[in-house]
Amino acid sequence: MTSQTTLAGPGQQPEGPDRAGPGDGLQAGLKNRHLSMIAIGGVIGAGLFVGSGAGIAAAGPAILLSYALVGLMVVFVMRMLGEMAAARPASGSFSAYADQALGRWAGFSIGWLYWFFWVVVLAVEATAGAKILENWVPGVPQWAWALIVMLVLTATNLVSVGSYGEFEFWFAGIKVVAIGAFVIVGLLAVFGVLPGSDNAGSGLVHLTDTGGFFPKGPGAILTGVLMVVFSFMGSEIVTLAAGESENPQRAVQKATNSVIWRIAVFYLGSIFVVLTLLPWNDASIMEKGSYVAALDSIGIPHAGQVMDVIVLTAVLSCLNSGLYTASRMAFSLGGRGDAPKAFARTNKRGVPQAAILSSVVFGFVAVFFNYQWPDTVFAFLLNSSGAVALFVWLVICFTQLRMRGIILRESPEKLVVRMWLFPYLTWATIAMISFVLVYMLTDDAGREQVLLSLLVAVLVVAFSLVREALGRRNGTPAGKSAE
């Protein structure tokens, strides 16, 4: 048995695939504890554990300011998204809101770009997890581990939204406990009060004792921004998941209000601990990874193996959420007539089976490309999706500028979360994100990502505009096909 419904027109309250509830296909299978942990753990990606060493090497202690700047952007973007999501919970989240506020072309384009971003991430994370598992069990080849991991998490997502939530609850819980313990133990060692620590406990000396706080100059802060910005992608997942929860408005409010302390503790707190336990240019940070090096300096036994378990958990969490997010975006696009209408159908368990399977098939293809043509085809996929995170944040900002007025006209009582200092902080955030995109053009690696991502975005937008024009000419506007 399947069910399928559609989204209301621009400026109207989302229904069907963009509003979970009885009779609309999706089921409210996520409990409050699931949403709480998804909100807390969603902002912690494997990039924090794996990529932070390169950022420290590039900017020194000033990398803290890089994390703070990006964190501030994310706080503002999440506040804007929270304002819209609390008023109109939707499985398509910002794509559905862009559809209503900016036009069908915007919802179509950003929805497909976001789907593309996450299915490429599936391949990246599956490969990263397979490398760790191959080290543990060398008898199984890396490609087989990638296949096993993808199959297991696909099965999890196909069973029910509750099973996704349960897996993510434990994956995110392990990440949260691990980083919390790391921060507490690390700070005790920093100030010399941890019994049995091998670290001298130099306090805050290491922040300035090797070339000062800006050893690479103040400009390195921006270089650091480019290196850390993508490790924050995922904080918006809770607004997509909220549509399948028992109390979407409350879930979004809690997630939005807690984003500040989450970023402060998990990102700034953990990087601060690394930088105060070791000089920023300590060779072990790059050789072992920042967290393993910090744990080794304290004398924690088997630090490398412990961190491998935590990184693998972060990888599985990212895979689990990536598949969920890609499938729900495909589901929303199908419901609005911007994707095959089969994507908007759910089975008797309220699972959008076609949307999940289509997303994972592309993920499998991308994994194959990663093994077969890692430096050509897969490199193109990776770079052409690299700046999508920033495009998504920009669209959220511009959408919120219009949606505030729509919500105030149609349902002002639902404006329970408000963006601070509207519209000034919204415009300031747009300026910050735009500056990062422009600055990326001055960086060799960043330039390729921006240009290729922009090329793909232009092609998707052009396709959407042509599609709309043809629909008007034929008297069948885009979106009608799904009804």
Side-chain angles (χ1 to χ4, degrees):
M1 178 181 178
T2 59
S3 63
Q4 177 209 341
T5 46
T6 56
L7 177 71
Q12 297 178 357
Q13 176 68 23
E15 297 174 353
D18 281 301
R19 187 70 176 88
D24 68 1
L26 292 181
Q27 296 177 2
L30 293 176
K31 300 176 182 177
N32 287 333
R33 66 183 177 87
H34 294 154
L35 263 293
S36 296
M37 198 56 75
I38 290 169
I40 295 171
V43 78
I44 310 168
L48 174 63
F49 301 104
V50 178
S52 54
I56 292 171
I63 195 68
L64 283 169
L65 297 181
S66 304
Y67 274 103
L69 281 172
V70 179
L72 191 64
M73 277 199 305
V74 172
V75 167
F76 291 160
V77 169
M78 279 297 293
R79 188 74 186 182
M80 288 180 250
L81 185 53
E83 175 180 297
M84 297 182 286
R88 301 183 174 201
S91 65
S93 188
F94 49 84
S95 173
Y97 309 141
D99 188 305
Q100 298 167 65
L102 304 178
R104 297 202 64 82
W105 67 271
F108 176 96
S109 303
I110 204 62
W112 276 113
L113 285 172
Y114 193 68
W115 178 87
F116 174 57
F117 171 86
W118 278 111
V119 291
V120 172
V121 166
L122 291 181
V124 174
E125 299 295 338
T127 304
K131 286 179 180 176
I132 295 174
L133 290 166
E134 187 186 31
N135 288 335
W136 294 350
V137 187
V140 180
Q142 193 180 116
W143 66 265
W145 278 122
L147 181 64
I148 291 168
V149 165
M150 290 276 277
L151 286 174
V152 168
L153 292 178
T154 300
T156 299
N157 275 264
L158 284 172
V159 170
S160 69
V161 67
S163 65
Y164 155 72
E166 198 63 34
F167 268 72
E168 192 56 25
F169 176 81
W170 292 105
F171 287 154
I174 291 170
K175 289 188 291 185
V176 169
V177 169
I179 295 185
F182 176 80
V183 171
I184 293 170
V185 171
L187 286 176
L188 291 175
V190 165
F191 295 106
V193 292
L194 182 68
S197 172
D198 293 344
N199 193 286
S202 304
L204 307 182
V205 171
H206 289 320
L207 292 177
T208 55
D209 67 349
T210 313
F213 191 74
F214 300 99
K216 300 291 186 77
I221 296 172
L222 294 175
T223 304
V225 164
L226 303 187
M227 303 184 79
V228 307
V229 66
F230 302 108
S231 65
F232 283 83
M233 193 65 172
S235 51
E236 71 290 331
I237 290 174
V238 68
T239 63
L240 281 86
E244 293 178 82
S245 67
E246 297 161 349
N247 190 336
Q249 192 177 77
R250 179 172 175 269
V252 169
Q253 278 185 276
K254 285 183 65 177
T256 304
N257 292 334
S258 67
V259 71
I260 297 175
W261 71 259
R262 285 186 278 138
I263 289 173
V265 172
F266 298 133
Y267 280 85
L268 290 173
S270 61
I271 298 300
F272 175 82
V273 166
V274 173
L275 289 167
T276 47
L277 283 173
L278 293 165
W280 69 271
N281 58 354
D282 190 296
S284 64
I285 291 179
M286 285 300 292
E287 290 170 3
K288 302 176 181 178
S290 55
Y291 290 83
V292 174
L295 290 172
D296 276 345
S297 78
I298 298 173
I300 302 293
H302 309 295
Q305 291 91 325
V306 170
M307 195 51 61
D308 271 350
V309 172
I310 296 168
V311 171
L312 180 62
T313 303
V315 164
L316 294 175
S317 171
C318 194
L319 266 171
N320 196 36
S321 287
L323 182 53
Y324 171 84
T325 305
S327 66
R328 284 345 183 243
M329 187 58 75
F331 173 78
S332 176
L333 289 165
R336 286 178 272 145
D338 291 336
K341 59 184 180 181
F343 287 6
R345 298 194 181 108
T346 58
N347 60 23
K348 61 185 178 182
R349 296 186 302 276
V351 173
Q353 191 168 295
I356 291 173
L357 292 175
S358 62
S359 300
V360 83
V361 164
F362 193 96
F364 278 127
V365 171
V367 169
F368 172 75
F369 287 157
N370 194 10
Y371 286 109
Q372 193 68 29
W373 301 290
D375 300 321
T376 53
V377 179
F378 188 72
F380 171 79
L381 290 178
L382 202 58
N383 286 318
S384 60
S385 65
V388 167
L390 293 169
F391 295 165
V392 167
W393 294 349
L394 265 182
V395 168
I396 289 171
C397 294
F398 282 113
T399 300
Q400 190 259 343
L401 286 172
R402 296 287 301 276
M403 280 295 288
R404 169 68 73 93
I406 293 172
I407 295 169
L408 283 175
R409 284 196 306 272
E410 298 181 0
S411 48
E413 73 283 357
K414 293 184 178 179
L415 199 62
V416 294
V417 175
R418 289 175 179 261
M419 176 59 182
W420 308 295
L421 298 177
F422 177 83
Y424 308 109
L425 266 186
T426 300
W427 282 110
T429 308
I430 289 171
M432 289 168 67
I433 297 169
S434 301
F435 179 80
V436 172
L437 281 168
V438 172
Y439 188 76
M440 284 179 75
L441 293 173
T442 67
D443 178 77
D444 291 338
R447 186 184 306 115
E448 187 175 12
Q449 286 192 5
V450 170
L451 293 177
L452 285 177
S453 297
L454 194 59
L455 172 64
V456 172
V458 168
L459 290 174
V460 173
V461 170
F463 178 83
S464 175
L465 293 174
V466 169
R467 179 172 167 271
E468 280 193 52
L470 290 175
R472 284 193 297 270
R473 182 183 300 175
N474 297 330
T476 55
K480 295 297 181 186
S481 61
E483 295 183 12

